Amino acid sequence: MHPEVISSIDPPPNPDGLFPFTCTRPVLDIRIGILTLREKWNLLFPEGKPPGLPDDLLPNLALAGQIRREGAATGLPSLPIAGALRLTRPWHLFQHNDQALRDDFALLTDGRQSAPIPDTVQTINPTSIFIEEGARIHHSMLNAGTGPIYIGRNTEIMEGCLIRGPFALCEGAVVKMGAKIYGATTIGPCSTAGGEIKNSILFGYSNKGHDGYLGDSVIGEWCNLGAGTSNSNLKNSAGDVMVWDASTSQFIGAGLKCGLLMGDYSRAAINTSFNTGTIVGVCCNVFGEGLTPKYIPHFSWGQKGDTKYVFEKALQDIANWKKLKNQSLTDAEIRTLEHIFGK
């Protein structure tokens, strides 16, 4: 299944289709490419997303130009947007991260000068590498021949890393020693990346800091994957991957490859083995033997889904994790978590 190509603004966005990521944020605050959808619109239009357009639309410079041209003639919200992409399923995020990274790279770097590439860094196609001020990178390999590479402010790429574009390391994020990262991958703000990663998105403030494989996956905010944790992204039969769809309450096909889709505040113990096309809800503590189930509900304690996290303990654990990154749990977050928990 591929992202929907639309010729009009109907139907309206379906937040359940982007489960579990829209349980804790509006659709516009989902990250794909370098930026969130909201950040993209705010750069493209001073007033933000034009009224009448669906929130799950993937914006870029070309679409913005079309909106300006055709909107002047037809007005909104009746504007046709033929060929535009809508993100109606969570796996659409990694399926279209390649194009989103290229689009955001063009949007953010147009007319700007990159900071110098350090002498100890080996590169391929350095003209497609952009480094913001304050980034620290030494003795690593950046291959932008396969797509652009964006290194954000106050980031660090430790020695011995191998990175192929398209790739984004967002502000304050870190890539640990010896990491192997394939495009199209986004490491969101203040996240930590290590081991082997391919075609994946970490929204922000999350950790995949150790050896283990993460591929064709999306990880929400404030998540942690323990050392040795890996996911399957391809069935042994090479058949269609079936993934739990909250909007229809059934398993539906996601295409040939789909890895781990993990909601905010969830964590996995060391050596966790995630099944192909696994959905993990919000605030789960995942541990146990063997491959995980394909769907782990919100606030699961363990991986079977038959024991629930004690709510007060869940809040304390989240607060502990946030303290590690000099953040604190807000009242708004607590209210959201109470709603999801069912208090």
mmCIF file of all heavy atoms in Angstrom, residues 243-294:
data_model
loop_
_atom_site.group_PDB
_atom_site.id
_atom_site.type_symbol
_atom_site.label_atom_id
_atom_site.label_comp_id
_atom_site.label_asym_id
_atom_site.label_seq_id
_atom_site.Cartn_x
_atom_site.Cartn_y
_atom_site.Cartn_z
ATOM 1 N N VAL A 243 -0.075 -5.147 9.130
ATOM 2 C CA VAL A 243 0.121 -4.268 10.283
ATOM 3 C C VAL A 243 -1.243 -3.893 10.853
ATOM 4 O O VAL A 243 -2.198 -3.649 10.112
ATOM 5 C CB VAL A 243 0.897 -2.985 9.870
ATOM 6 C CG1 VAL A 243 1.095 -2.063 11.061
ATOM 7 C CG2 VAL A 243 2.246 -3.345 9.260
ATOM 8 N N TRP A 244 -1.320 -3.831 12.190
ATOM 9 C CA TRP A 244 -2.555 -3.458 12.854
ATOM 10 C C TRP A 244 -2.938 -2.027 12.498
ATOM 11 O O TRP A 244 -2.127 -1.109 12.602
ATOM 12 C CB TRP A 244 -2.415 -3.577 14.369
ATOM 13 C CG TRP A 244 -3.620 -3.098 15.121
ATOM 14 C CD1 TRP A 244 -3.759 -1.944 15.820
ATOM 15 C CD2 TRP A 244 -4.883 -3.788 15.230
ATOM 16 N NE1 TRP A 244 -5.002 -1.854 16.361
ATOM 17 C CE2 TRP A 244 -5.723 -2.968 16.015
ATOM 18 C CE3 TRP A 244 -5.369 -4.996 14.741
ATOM 19 C CZ2 TRP A 244 -7.024 -3.330 16.332
ATOM 20 C CZ3 TRP A 244 -6.666 -5.361 15.061
ATOM 21 C CH2 TRP A 244 -7.482 -4.538 15.845
ATOM 22 N N ASP A 245 -4.179 -1.830 12.066
ATOM 23 C CA ASP A 245 -4.679 -0.518 11.670
ATOM 24 C C ASP A 245 -5.790 -0.108 12.621
ATOM 25 O O ASP A 245 -6.861 -0.719 12.642
ATOM 26 C CB ASP A 245 -5.183 -0.569 10.235
ATOM 27 C CG ASP A 245 -5.810 0.745 9.807
ATOM 28 O OD1 ASP A 245 -5.169 1.795 10.006
ATOM 29 O OD2 ASP A 245 -6.942 0.719 9.277
ATOM 30 N N ALA A 246 -5.529 0.925 13.428
ATOM 31 C CA ALA A 246 -6.495 1.341 14.447
ATOM 32 C C ALA A 246 -7.768 1.903 13.837
ATOM 33 O O ALA A 246 -8.827 1.835 14.450
ATOM 34 C CB ALA A 246 -5.858 2.378 15.363
ATOM 35 N N SER A 247 -7.698 2.462 12.628
ATOM 36 C CA SER A 247 -8.882 3.074 12.031
ATOM 37 C C SER A 247 -9.896 2.040 11.571
ATOM 38 O O SER A 247 -11.085 2.344 11.447
ATOM 39 C CB SER A 247 -8.475 3.971 10.848
ATOM 40 O OG SER A 247 -7.916 3.207 9.796
ATOM 41 N N THR A 248 -9.435 0.807 11.329
ATOM 42 C CA THR A 248 -10.348 -0.257 10.892
ATOM 43 C C THR A 248 -10.384 -1.434 11.860
ATOM 44 O O THR A 248 -11.170 -2.361 11.671
ATOM 45 C CB THR A 248 -9.936 -0.780 9.500
ATOM 46 O OG1 THR A 248 -8.586 -1.288 9.564
ATOM 47 C CG2 THR A 248 -9.995 0.330 8.458
ATOM 48 N N SER A 249 -9.524 -1.409 12.897
ATOM 49 C CA SER A 249 -9.427 -2.492 13.893
ATOM 50 C C SER A 249 -9.183 -3.847 13.237
ATOM 51 O O SER A 249 -9.796 -4.854 13.596
ATOM 52 C CB SER A 249 -10.697 -2.534 14.758
ATOM 53 O OG SER A 249 -10.825 -1.344 15.504
ATOM 54 N N GLN A 250 -8.271 -3.839 12.275
ATOM 55 C CA GLN A 250 -7.888 -5.086 11.631
ATOM 56 C C GLN A 250 -6.468 -4.945 11.083
ATOM 57 O O GLN A 250 -5.929 -3.836 11.014
ATOM 58 C CB GLN A 250 -8.854 -5.450 10.511
ATOM 59 C CG GLN A 250 -8.908 -4.431 9.383
ATOM 60 C CD GLN A 250 -9.957 -4.779 8.335
ATOM 61 O OE1 GLN A 250 -10.702 -5.721 8.488
ATOM 62 N NE2 GLN A 250 -10.001 -3.996 7.273
ATOM 63 N N PHE A 251 -5.870 -6.068 10.709
ATOM 64 C CA PHE A 251 -4.548 -6.038 10.088
ATOM 65 C C PHE A 251 -4.706 -5.788 8.596
ATOM 66 O O PHE A 251 -5.538 -6.417 7.933
ATOM 67 C CB PHE A 251 -3.816 -7.360 10.326
ATOM 68 C CG PHE A 251 -3.303 -7.524 11.724
ATOM 69 C CD1 PHE A 251 -4.078 -8.121 12.708
ATOM 70 C CD2 PHE A 251 -2.043 -7.053 12.066
ATOM 71 C CE1 PHE A 251 -3.606 -8.263 14.005
ATOM 72 C CE2 PHE A 251 -1.556 -7.186 13.366
ATOM 73 C CZ PHE A 251 -2.341 -7.792 14.333
ATOM 74 N N ILE A 252 -3.903 -4.854 8.073
ATOM 75 C CA ILE A 252 -3.945 -4.541 6.652
ATOM 76 C C ILE A 252 -2.526 -4.531 6.091
ATOM 77 O O ILE A 252 -1.551 -4.402 6.826
ATOM 78 C CB ILE A 252 -4.643 -3.192 6.365
ATOM 79 C CG1 ILE A 252 -3.851 -2.028 6.998
ATOM 80 C CG2 ILE A 252 -6.070 -3.209 6.887
ATOM 81 C CD1 ILE A 252 -4.426 -0.665 6.636
ATOM 82 N N GLY A 253 -2.427 -4.666 4.786
ATOM 83 C CA GLY A 253 -1.123 -4.730 4.150
ATOM 84 C C GLY A 253 -0.418 -3.387 4.137
ATOM 85 O O GLY A 253 -1.014 -2.359 3.832
ATOM 86 N N ALA A 254 0.890 -3.425 4.456
ATOM 87 C CA ALA A 254 1.697 -2.207 4.480
ATOM 88 C C ALA A 254 2.780 -2.214 3.409
ATOM 89 O O ALA A 254 3.595 -1.298 3.366
ATOM 90 C CB ALA A 254 2.330 -2.022 5.848
ATOM 91 N N GLY A 255 2.809 -3.243 2.565
ATOM 92 C CA GLY A 255 3.852 -3.340 1.569
ATOM 93 C C GLY A 255 4.863 -4.413 1.901
ATOM 94 O O GLY A 255 4.698 -5.178 2.849
ATOM 95 N N LEU A 256 5.921 -4.464 1.134
ATOM 96 C CA LEU A 256 6.928 -5.515 1.274
ATOM 97 C C LEU A 256 7.732 -5.374 2.559
ATOM 98 O O LEU A 256 8.129 -6.374 3.162
ATOM 99 C CB LEU A 256 7.866 -5.499 0.066
ATOM 100 C CG LEU A 256 8.976 -6.547 0.036
ATOM 101 C CD1 LEU A 256 8.388 -7.960 -0.029
ATOM 102 C CD2 LEU A 256 9.911 -6.300 -1.159
ATOM 103 N N LYS A 257 7.987 -4.131 2.993
ATOM 104 C CA LYS A 257 8.825 -3.907 4.167
ATOM 105 C C LYS A 257 8.128 -2.983 5.159
ATOM 106 O O LYS A 257 7.601 -1.935 4.801
ATOM 107 C CB LYS A 257 10.179 -3.302 3.778
ATOM 108 C CG LYS A 257 11.087 -4.267 3.020
ATOM 109 C CD LYS A 257 12.468 -3.685 2.816
ATOM 110 C CE LYS A 257 13.402 -4.690 2.144
ATOM 111 N NZ LYS A 257 14.775 -4.155 2.006
ATOM 112 N N CYS A 258 8.153 -3.396 6.416
ATOM 113 C CA CYS A 258 7.687 -2.546 7.516
ATOM 114 C C CYS A 258 8.270 -3.091 8.804
ATOM 115 O O CYS A 258 8.151 -4.289 9.087
ATOM 116 C CB CYS A 258 6.164 -2.508 7.587
ATOM 117 S SG CYS A 258 5.530 -1.367 8.851
ATOM 118 N N GLY A 259 8.899 -2.219 9.574
ATOM 119 C CA GLY A 259 9.546 -2.633 10.803
ATOM 120 C C GLY A 259 8.731 -2.298 12.034
ATOM 121 O O GLY A 259 7.630 -2.807 12.233
ATOM 122 N N LEU A 260 9.243 -1.393 12.872
ATOM 123 C CA LEU A 260 8.675 -1.063 14.176
ATOM 124 C C LEU A 260 8.052 0.330 14.125
ATOM 125 O O LEU A 260 8.686 1.291 13.691
ATOM 126 C CB LEU A 260 9.774 -1.112 15.236
ATOM 127 C CG LEU A 260 9.451 -0.591 16.628
ATOM 128 C CD1 LEU A 260 8.339 -1.400 17.281
ATOM 129 C CD2 LEU A 260 10.716 -0.592 17.498
ATOM 130 N N LEU A 261 6.806 0.441 14.604
ATOM 131 C CA LEU A 261 6.102 1.712 14.713
ATOM 132 C C LEU A 261 5.769 1.895 16.192
ATOM 133 O O LEU A 261 4.850 1.254 16.710
ATOM 134 C CB LEU A 261 4.846 1.712 13.843
ATOM 135 C CG LEU A 261 5.095 1.413 12.363
ATOM 136 C CD1 LEU A 261 3.796 1.106 11.641
ATOM 137 C CD2 LEU A 261 5.822 2.567 11.683
ATOM 138 N N MET A 262 6.531 2.741 16.887
ATOM 139 C CA MET A 262 6.470 2.836 18.348
ATOM 140 C C MET A 262 5.967 4.194 18.795
ATOM 141 O O MET A 262 6.521 5.227 18.421
ATOM 142 C CB MET A 262 7.860 2.560 18.944
ATOM 143 C CG MET A 262 7.942 2.729 20.451
ATOM 144 S SD MET A 262 9.572 2.322 21.137
ATOM 145 C CE MET A 262 9.432 0.538 21.323
ATOM 146 N N GLY A 263 4.902 4.197 19.625
ATOM 147 C CA GLY A 263 4.352 5.432 20.144
ATOM 148 C C GLY A 263 5.228 6.079 21.199
ATOM 149 O O GLY A 263 6.161 5.472 21.738
ATOM 150 N N ASP A 264 4.905 7.323 21.524
ATOM 151 C CA ASP A 264 5.680 8.116 22.483
ATOM 152 C C ASP A 264 5.781 7.418 23.834
ATOM 153 O O ASP A 264 4.880 6.689 24.261
ATOM 154 C CB ASP A 264 5.019 9.473 22.697
ATOM 155 C CG ASP A 264 5.113 10.385 21.493
ATOM 156 O OD1 ASP A 264 5.696 9.991 20.476
ATOM 157 O OD2 ASP A 264 4.575 11.516 21.572
ATOM 158 N N TYR A 265 6.876 7.691 24.525
ATOM 159 C CA TYR A 265 7.137 7.279 25.906
ATOM 160 C C TYR A 265 7.281 5.771 26.070
ATOM 161 O O TYR A 265 7.262 5.279 27.205
ATOM 162 C CB TYR A 265 6.030 7.760 26.858
ATOM 163 C CG TYR A 265 5.635 9.202 26.715
ATOM 164 C CD1 TYR A 265 4.393 9.550 26.195
ATOM 165 C CD2 TYR A 265 6.485 10.229 27.116
ATOM 166 C CE1 TYR A 265 4.008 10.875 26.067
ATOM 167 C CE2 TYR A 265 6.107 11.552 26.987
ATOM 168 C CZ TYR A 265 4.870 11.872 26.452
ATOM 169 O OH TYR A 265 4.489 13.188 26.326
ATOM 170 N N SER A 266 7.451 5.017 25.007
ATOM 171 C CA SER A 266 7.593 3.569 25.127
ATOM 172 C C SER A 266 9.063 3.181 25.122
ATOM 173 O O SER A 266 9.904 3.871 24.543
ATOM 174 C CB SER A 266 6.849 2.855 23.994
ATOM 175 O OG SER A 266 5.448 2.925 24.200
ATOM 176 N N ARG A 267 9.362 2.031 25.753
ATOM 177 C CA ARG A 267 10.745 1.585 25.895
ATOM 178 C C ARG A 267 10.819 0.082 25.724
ATOM 179 O O ARG A 267 9.844 -0.641 25.990
ATOM 180 C CB ARG A 267 11.279 1.989 27.274
ATOM 181 C CG ARG A 267 11.276 3.492 27.500
ATOM 182 C CD ARG A 267 11.642 3.848 28.916
ATOM 183 N NE ARG A 267 10.671 3.393 29.891
ATOM 184 C CZ ARG A 267 9.529 4.014 30.156
ATOM 185 N NH1 ARG A 267 9.203 5.107 29.494
ATOM 186 N NH2 ARG A 267 8.710 3.542 31.069
ATOM 187 N N ALA A 268 11.984 -0.386 25.296
ATOM 188 C CA ALA A 268 12.203 -1.823 25.114
ATOM 189 C C ALA A 268 13.450 -2.240 25.866
ATOM 190 O O ALA A 268 14.475 -1.544 25.837
ATOM 191 C CB ALA A 268 12.349 -2.161 23.633
ATOM 192 N N ALA A 269 13.383 -3.391 26.527
ATOM 193 C CA ALA A 269 14.515 -3.922 27.277
ATOM 194 C C ALA A 269 15.618 -4.381 26.326
ATOM 195 O O ALA A 269 15.418 -4.499 25.111
ATOM 196 C CB ALA A 269 14.054 -5.084 28.151
ATOM 197 N N ILE A 270 16.790 -4.679 26.886
ATOM 198 C CA ILE A 270 17.900 -5.150 26.062
ATOM 199 C C ILE A 270 17.491 -6.416 25.312
ATOM 200 O O ILE A 270 16.719 -7.242 25.795
ATOM 201 C CB ILE A 270 19.162 -5.407 26.905
ATOM 202 C CG1 ILE A 270 18.926 -6.491 27.950
ATOM 203 C CG2 ILE A 270 19.652 -4.128 27.561
ATOM 204 C CD1 ILE A 270 20.178 -6.966 28.636
ATOM 205 N N ASN A 271 18.023 -6.528 24.091
ATOM 206 C CA ASN A 271 17.855 -7.725 23.259
ATOM 207 C C ASN A 271 16.395 -8.025 22.899
ATOM 208 O O ASN A 271 16.049 -9.169 22.594
ATOM 209 C CB ASN A 271 18.483 -8.956 23.929
ATOM 210 C CG ASN A 271 19.973 -8.814 24.086
ATOM 211 O OD1 ASN A 271 20.659 -8.294 23.195
ATOM 212 N ND2 ASN A 271 20.502 -9.249 25.221
ATOM 213 N N THR A 272 15.547 -7.017 22.927
ATOM 214 C CA THR A 272 14.177 -7.213 22.465
ATOM 215 C C THR A 272 14.177 -7.470 20.965
ATOM 216 O O THR A 272 14.897 -6.804 20.210
ATOM 217 C CB THR A 272 13.309 -5.991 22.797
ATOM 218 O OG1 THR A 272 13.328 -5.780 24.214
ATOM 219 C CG2 THR A 272 11.879 -6.182 22.332
ATOM 220 N N SER A 273 13.362 -8.432 20.531
ATOM 221 C CA SER A 273 13.261 -8.781 19.107
ATOM 222 C C SER A 273 11.866 -8.428 18.624
ATOM 223 O O SER A 273 10.891 -9.134 18.931
ATOM 224 C CB SER A 273 13.532 -10.276 18.901
ATOM 225 O OG SER A 273 14.849 -10.606 19.277
ATOM 226 N N PHE A 274 11.759 -7.349 17.869
ATOM 227 C CA PHE A 274 10.459 -6.890 17.390
ATOM 228 C C PHE A 274 10.080 -7.596 16.091
ATOM 229 O O PHE A 274 10.856 -7.657 15.140
ATOM 230 C CB PHE A 274 10.465 -5.374 17.176
ATOM 231 C CG PHE A 274 10.361 -4.591 18.450
ATOM 232 C CD1 PHE A 274 11.482 -3.989 19.004
ATOM 233 C CD2 PHE A 274 9.143 -4.469 19.105
ATOM 234 C CE1 PHE A 274 11.387 -3.265 20.182
ATOM 235 C CE2 PHE A 274 9.036 -3.746 20.282
ATOM 236 C CZ PHE A 274 10.163 -3.142 20.827
ATOM 237 N N ASN A 275 8.873 -8.111 16.073
ATOM 238 C CA ASN A 275 8.338 -8.806 14.908
ATOM 239 C C ASN A 275 8.189 -7.855 13.725
ATOM 240 O O ASN A 275 8.149 -6.632 13.878
ATOM 241 C CB ASN A 275 6.978 -9.411 15.272
ATOM 242 C CG ASN A 275 6.705 -10.704 14.548
ATOM 243 O OD1 ASN A 275 7.189 -10.925 13.444
ATOM 244 N ND2 ASN A 275 5.932 -11.566 15.176
ATOM 245 N N THR A 276 8.059 -8.411 12.552
ATOM 246 C CA THR A 276 7.842 -7.616 11.343
ATOM 247 C C THR A 276 6.538 -6.842 11.468
ATOM 248 O O THR A 276 5.493 -7.408 11.802
ATOM 249 C CB THR A 276 7.766 -8.524 10.115
ATOM 250 O OG1 THR A 276 8.750 -9.546 10.206
ATOM 251 C CG2 THR A 276 7.975 -7.731 8.836
ATOM 252 N N GLY A 277 6.592 -5.539 11.217
ATOM 253 C CA GLY A 277 5.384 -4.736 11.228
ATOM 254 C C GLY A 277 4.721 -4.643 12.584
ATOM 255 O O GLY A 277 3.501 -4.745 12.692
ATOM 256 N N THR A 278 5.503 -4.408 13.641
ATOM 257 C CA THR A 278 4.960 -4.319 14.996
ATOM 258 C C THR A 278 4.519 -2.898 15.320
ATOM 259 O O THR A 278 5.253 -1.936 15.078
ATOM 260 C CB THR A 278 6.001 -4.782 16.029
ATOM 261 O OG1 THR A 278 6.280 -6.165 15.839
ATOM 262 C CG2 THR A 278 5.484 -4.576 17.456
ATOM 263 N N ILE A 279 3.314 -2.775 15.884
ATOM 264 C CA ILE A 279 2.814 -1.512 16.421
ATOM 265 C C ILE A 279 2.919 -1.566 17.938
ATOM 266 O O ILE A 279 2.401 -2.488 18.575
ATOM 267 C CB ILE A 279 1.338 -1.284 16.033
ATOM 268 C CG1 ILE A 279 1.195 -1.079 14.516
ATOM 269 C CG2 ILE A 279 0.756 -0.106 16.814
ATOM 270 C CD1 ILE A 279 1.241 0.348 14.058
ATOM 271 N N VAL A 280 3.592 -0.575 18.514
ATOM 272 C CA VAL A 280 3.666 -0.429 19.974
ATOM 273 C C VAL A 280 2.950 0.859 20.334
ATOM 274 O O VAL A 280 3.231 1.919 19.772
ATOM 275 C CB VAL A 280 5.126 -0.381 20.456
ATOM 276 C CG1 VAL A 280 5.182 -0.145 21.962
ATOM 277 C CG2 VAL A 280 5.853 -1.668 20.094
ATOM 278 N N GLY A 281 2.014 0.778 21.271
ATOM 279 C CA GLY A 281 1.257 1.951 21.675
ATOM 280 C C GLY A 281 2.060 2.927 22.509
ATOM 281 O O GLY A 281 3.295 2.857 22.602
ATOM 282 N N VAL A 282 1.356 3.831 23.167
ATOM 283 C CA VAL A 282 1.959 4.870 23.993
ATOM 284 C C VAL A 282 2.320 4.301 25.356
ATOM 285 O O VAL A 282 1.555 3.539 25.955
ATOM 286 C CB VAL A 282 0.981 6.049 24.146
ATOM 287 C CG1 VAL A 282 1.503 7.078 25.149
ATOM 288 C CG2 VAL A 282 0.732 6.703 22.789
ATOM 289 N N CYS A 283 3.502 4.657 25.859
ATOM 290 C CA CYS A 283 3.951 4.369 27.221
ATOM 291 C C CYS A 283 3.889 2.876 27.536
ATOM 292 O O CYS A 283 3.221 2.452 28.486
ATOM 293 C CB CYS A 283 3.118 5.156 28.230
ATOM 294 S SG CYS A 283 3.883 5.221 29.868
ATOM 295 N N CYS A 284 4.599 2.090 26.747
ATOM 296 C CA CYS A 284 4.723 0.656 26.999
ATOM 297 C C CYS A 284 6.127 0.349 27.515
ATOM 298 O O CYS A 284 7.100 0.973 27.072
ATOM 299 C CB CYS A 284 4.476 -0.137 25.719
ATOM 300 S SG CYS A 284 2.809 0.057 25.035
ATOM 301 N N ASN A 285 6.222 -0.609 28.405
ATOM 302 C CA ASN A 285 7.507 -1.127 28.868
ATOM 303 C C ASN A 285 7.612 -2.544 28.309
ATOM 304 O O ASN A 285 7.019 -3.484 28.843
ATOM 305 C CB ASN A 285 7.575 -1.121 30.391
ATOM 306 C CG ASN A 285 8.957 -1.487 30.902
ATOM 307 O OD1 ASN A 285 9.900 -1.637 30.140
ATOM 308 N ND2 ASN A 285 9.070 -1.634 32.214
ATOM 309 N N VAL A 286 8.345 -2.692 27.204
ATOM 310 C CA VAL A 286 8.343 -3.933 26.433
ATOM 311 C C VAL A 286 9.522 -4.802 26.860
ATOM 312 O O VAL A 286 10.674 -4.395 26.761
ATOM 313 C CB VAL A 286 8.418 -3.637 24.916
ATOM 314 C CG1 VAL A 286 8.363 -4.941 24.125
ATOM 315 C CG2 VAL A 286 7.291 -2.703 24.498
ATOM 316 N N PHE A 287 9.218 -6.011 27.314
ATOM 317 C CA PHE A 287 10.255 -6.980 27.640
ATOM 318 C C PHE A 287 9.641 -8.372 27.562
ATOM 319 O O PHE A 287 8.425 -8.546 27.615
ATOM 320 C CB PHE A 287 10.840 -6.729 29.038
ATOM 321 C CG PHE A 287 9.828 -6.762 30.142
ATOM 322 C CD1 PHE A 287 9.511 -7.945 30.791
ATOM 323 C CD2 PHE A 287 9.173 -5.596 30.541
ATOM 324 C CE1 PHE A 287 8.580 -7.984 31.822
ATOM 325 C CE2 PHE A 287 8.236 -5.622 31.567
ATOM 326 C CZ PHE A 287 7.942 -6.818 32.200
ATOM 327 N N GLY A 288 10.497 -9.378 27.407
ATOM 328 C CA GLY A 288 10.020 -10.750 27.330
ATOM 329 C C GLY A 288 10.820 -11.549 26.326
ATOM 330 O O GLY A 288 11.657 -11.011 25.593
ATOM 331 N N GLU A 289 10.560 -12.855 26.283
ATOM 332 C CA GLU A 289 11.318 -13.756 25.426
ATOM 333 C C GLU A 289 10.672 -13.868 24.040
ATOM 334 O O GLU A 289 9.467 -13.741 23.881
ATOM 335 C CB GLU A 289 11.393 -15.140 26.062
ATOM 336 C CG GLU A 289 12.139 -15.166 27.389
ATOM 337 C CD GLU A 289 12.173 -16.540 28.003
ATOM 338 O OE1 GLU A 289 11.521 -17.452 27.440
ATOM 339 O OE2 GLU A 289 12.858 -16.719 29.023
ATOM 340 N N GLY A 290 11.533 -14.136 23.042
ATOM 341 C CA GLY A 290 11.046 -14.410 21.694
ATOM 342 C C GLY A 290 10.577 -13.154 20.981
ATOM 343 O O GLY A 290 10.685 -12.027 21.484
ATOM 344 N N LEU A 291 10.043 -13.360 19.767
ATOM 345 C CA LEU A 291 9.515 -12.249 18.994
ATOM 346 C C LEU A 291 8.307 -11.638 19.693
ATOM 347 O O LEU A 291 7.486 -12.343 20.283
ATOM 348 C CB LEU A 291 9.105 -12.714 17.595
ATOM 349 C CG LEU A 291 10.216 -12.979 16.583
ATOM 350 C CD1 LEU A 291 9.631 -13.594 15.321
ATOM 351 C CD2 LEU A 291 10.963 -11.695 16.241
ATOM 352 N N THR A 292 8.191 -10.319 19.609
ATOM 353 C CA THR A 292 7.051 -9.635 20.203
ATOM 354 C C THR A 292 5.774 -9.936 19.419
ATOM 355 O O THR A 292 5.823 -10.302 18.235
ATOM 356 C CB THR A 292 7.255 -8.117 20.190
ATOM 357 O OG1 THR A 292 7.332 -7.670 18.821
ATOM 358 C CG2 THR A 292 8.508 -7.723 20.937
ATOM 359 N N PRO A 293 4.606 -9.737 20.041
ATOM 360 C CA PRO A 293 3.357 -9.735 19.275
ATOM 361 C C PRO A 293 3.372 -8.599 18.256
ATOM 362 O O PRO A 293 4.155 -7.647 18.368
ATOM 363 C CB PRO A 293 2.281 -9.502 20.344
ATOM 364 C CG PRO A 293 2.937 -9.818 21.640
ATOM 365 C CD PRO A 293 4.393 -9.517 21.468
ATOM 366 N N LYS A 294 2.479 -8.683 17.276
ATOM 367 C CA LYS A 294 2.430 -7.656 16.233
ATOM 368 C C LYS A 294 1.791 -6.361 16.727
ATOM 369 O O LYS A 294 1.975 -5.314 16.113
ATOM 370 C CB LYS A 294 1.636 -8.182 15.040
ATOM 371 C CG LYS A 294 2.236 -9.425 14.401
ATOM 372 C CD LYS A 294 3.172 -9.095 13.272
ATOM 373 C CE LYS A 294 2.417 -8.591 12.070
ATOM 374 N NZ LYS A 294 3.311 -8.323 10.927
#
